[in-house]
Amino acid sequence: MMYTLIPFLSITLPILVALGVVFLIRFLQKRDGRRSPLTDKLHHGPGEQLRRKLEKSSDDIDAAFMTISFVGPFLLCTWALPQLDWSKVRFGLGEWILTAFFVGMLAWAIHKFARAVSKRQRLRDGLVAELMTAQLLVPLASKGCQVFHDIPADGFNLDHVVIGPYAVYMVETKSRRKPGKGKQSANVDYDGKVLRFPDHVTSKPMEQARHEARWLAEFLRGAAGEVVPVVPVVALPGWFVNPSRGAHQSDVIVLNPKMHGTFTDMRNGAPLSDSLRTRIAYALMQRYPALP
């Protein structure tokens, strides 16, 4: 009886384990209780329906390719294994090595699968946050601003760049899920050095924004031929930012992207000339790759 279970388990065990991992991850996500702070509706961008159909077609291609790759070995094993006289099979060193290899590969695949599911959730949250920020920045066009999104830099990308009347703003969008219920759970305090979320404290978003703003300032200085004031901004869509006195003295602005007044503020004095704004926009557009 034991020998007849071996071929059955070798085929069904990985599938059962994968399903178990999926249900476990979903259970832990529901138990975690955190949820998105975004309450506004996300508008469709150009070609949104086509983009979703394209993603689905890619998933269908991957599924078909996996089926083609495994249907032959699967059917061969299903046919061949029951033909063996398992009562005469003896486990030696080679068989134990193969068993250890099987268990090791299964454990590695489960670990990679769980990490991929978690990464997919983080990427999805990040994408929705960037799309929401881009949507909230649209009204700036009526106030004389130009907005660019997802600009390739040197080994990283700039989420958003706003060319305002008096300065250029490098906007880094961050996605954070809020714990608990109610509006109070979406409050974050900013003292100019750290962000105090309800469940953690961090300074990394400001450090990243400073780094990217320095890169942008250096790039624009070379591309536009003169010094361009670049202000680092951290955008937290869906969050209520409570700035303290230190926040107003910091070089990094943290805000909900609904706060449009920041981008038209005269904090940097003299306005940017039309010629300089044109050169800045042209330089940013050159960063985008050509269509294949």
Side-chain angles (χ1 to χ4, degrees):
M1 183 68 177
M2 179 63 183
Y3 292 113
T4 58
L5 287 176
I6 293 177
F8 175 77
L9 291 177
S10 65
I11 296 174
T12 59
L13 183 60
I15 299 175
L16 294 175
V17 170
L19 291 174
V21 171
V22 171
F23 285 112
L24 177 61
I25 291 175
R26 289 182 177 177
F27 170 77
L28 293 176
Q29 288 177 342
K30 290 182 179 179
R31 188 178 180 182
D32 180 59
R34 294 187 299 167
R35 54 200 176 93
S36 173
L38 300 176
T39 56
D40 297 321
K41 290 185 177 181
L42 190 61
H43 302 166
H44 284 181
E48 176 67 20
Q49 297 298 324
L50 287 178
R51 183 182 64 83
R52 294 185 180 182
K53 290 180 180 179
L54 181 62
E55 290 179 352
K56 185 179 184 303
S57 68
S58 297
D59 293 338
D60 292 342
I61 292 173
D62 292 340
F65 179 78
M66 292 293 291
T67 302
I68 293 172
S69 301
F70 287 98
V71 66
F74 180 82
L75 291 177
L76 179 62
C77 291
T78 304
W79 171 80
L81 290 175
Q83 311 298 323
L84 299 177
D85 186 357
W86 290 94
S87 62
K88 297 180 180 180
V89 174
R90 297 294 182 267
F91 271 83
L93 178 60
E95 286 73 20
W96 283 113
I97 292 176
L98 288 176
T99 301
F101 177 77
F102 170 79
V103 173
M105 288 295 295
L106 182 60
W108 173 83
I110 292 172
H111 174 70
K112 188 172 183 179
F113 177 77
R115 290 188 61 183
V117 171
S118 178
K119 182 178 180 180
R120 178 185 175 87
Q121 181 64 54
R122 292 196 304 271
L123 291 175
R124 182 184 180 279
D125 288 347
L127 173 61
V128 172
E130 287 194 28
L131 290 174
M132 181 59 70
T133 296
Q135 177 175 302
L136 293 174
L137 294 178
V138 167
L140 286 174
S142 64
K143 301 178 181 180
C145 298
Q146 293 177 275
V147 185
F148 297 84
H149 308 289
D150 199 28
I151 299 175
D154 293 338
F156 57 93
N157 73 297
L158 309 178
D159 291 344
H160 320 275
V161 173
V162 178
I163 305 176
Y166 300 93
V168 173
Y169 296 84
M170 197 299 303
V171 184
E172 173 66 23
T173 295
K174 289 300 179 185
S175 171
R176 293 291 187 276
R177 286 182 167 253
K178 67 175 184 177
K181 298 180 179 180
K183 293 185 177 180
Q184 293 299 320
S185 63
N187 286 345
V188 55
D189 298 325
Y190 177 50
D191 62 3
K193 296 181 179 179
V194 298
L195 291 171
R196 300 184 183 276
F197 291 93
D199 54 355
H200 73 285
V201 178
T202 181
S203 62
K204 291 182 178 180
M206 285 72 71
E207 296 169 1
Q208 181 180 354
R210 286 191 185 96
H211 167 72
E212 294 177 355
R214 285 195 296 267
W215 180 92
L216 180 58
E218 183 66 21
F219 168 73
L220 292 179
R221 185 179 67 84
E226 59 182 286
V227 175
V228 178
V230 177
V231 181
V233 178
V234 174
L236 299 174
W239 286 87
F240 299 92
V241 181
N242 301 316
S244 65
R245 179 178 300 178
H248 299 293
Q249 300 173 351
S250 175
D251 61 322
V252 180
I253 300 174
V254 178
L255 48 69
N256 184 305
K258 290 182 178 181
M259 310 303 293
H260 296 155
T262 297
F263 302 101
T264 56
D265 186 37
M266 298 177 59
R267 58 180 279 155
N268 288 283
L272 303 178
S273 66
D274 291 341
S275 172
L276 178 57
R277 285 161 55 88
T278 299
R279 279 176 279 150
I280 292 172
Y282 178 79
L284 294 177
M285 287 188 290
Q286 298 310 302
R287 297 296 304 184
Y288 292 115
L291 291 175

